[in-house]
Amino acid sequence: MLQEKINNGKQKSKKNYLGLGLVVLVQFLLIWGLYTAFIYQNQNSLSNCLRNLAIALWLISEICYIRTQFSDPGEILQKTVPLKLLHDQQLLQYYQNICNKCNSWKPPRAHHCRRCNKCIFKMDHHCEWTNNCIGALNQKYFVLFLFYVFCYIITIFSIHIIGIYSYIIRDQQNIWNLITNNKFKIFEVFLFIILCTFFSFFVISMLWDQIQVIRDNQTVVESLQGKFGRQQSFFKNMKQFMGNQKWYYWILPTTPILKLNYAEIVYGEQLVNLGTSYLEDIIYDEQNPKSAYFAEFMVDNYKKKLA
């Protein structure tokens, strides 16, 4: 047993080193990209505007990244099966799961992360690039980080394209002068353009995956299992993931107002065959005092932090 704990500790340390290394790499690329935007001389007003935009996008991307990295992804704090659920035998079959690793209650939409060694509510995936899980409480920051980083990459890319165009066309410099001029760091620029191209496709693919799971009210883990949450409008799903606030708060890295319903069912083929109307009456009818959708399970994350 002792040897097993030691081996688990070593494995966790290696994974932490990988995550920390990728965090350092992300920070280096973000700062280096901003640095390369300032190597051009005799820039026009458009380039100056793009440069200021790049600074703003870099700043907000850093805020989103830090909040994604250090925020609680949604650890399950309710460790035992709630008593109210024990009185309904029909519902109990969906809520009596106990995590064999945490040895505590595991709600239907929770998943155990082997790297973090805890159960996360609506765990999307463990992101090595942020060295943290992506779950119900920090998914907003992750989505915003992907969006703003993509805009940041496009902005920096545009600055380089304008700079190269101005150097060759406006200043009438040939390719040889472009390469041999020490003041123009051509190799650094070309390298960054290649990285911009690669990471733009990488980031937009991850962002599109996030949009799809929000649209379908599921996580990446649930999509691999063929499961999903209650099907409703995209706007309602956005509120559920990004916060029950005005839409303009969704584009800011502010703390979302979320109410985590631990009693929420994850749908699969077995539950769909039972009939969704029955499940909605039992699980989602807020007007029914006998429903499982009661106040004790609408855990406000602000109150949770104060408790």
Side-chain angles (χ1 to χ4, degrees), residues 16 21 24 65 81 94 104 110 130 171 188 194 220 222 229 282:
N16 285 339
V24 172
Y65 186 70
V81 181
Y94 303 117
S104 60
T130 62
D171 299 338
E188 187 174 8
I194 294 173
V220 169
E222 291 171 351
I282 296 295

Side-chain angles (χ1 to χ4, degrees), residues 82-88 91 95 105 259-264 282-299:
L83 294 177
K84 194 165 185 178
L85 289 176
L86 296 176
H87 299 317
D88 194 318
L91 294 177
Y95 298 113
W105 180 49
K259 292 185 176 182
L260 305 184
N261 181 13
Y262 285 177
E264 183 180 357
I282 296 295
I283 303 301
Y284 295 104
D285 186 4
E286 297 182 60
Q287 305 301 321
N288 181 6
K290 296 182 180 180
S291 170
Y293 196 95
F294 38 79
E296 293 94 313
F297 293 92
M298 298 299 291
V299 182

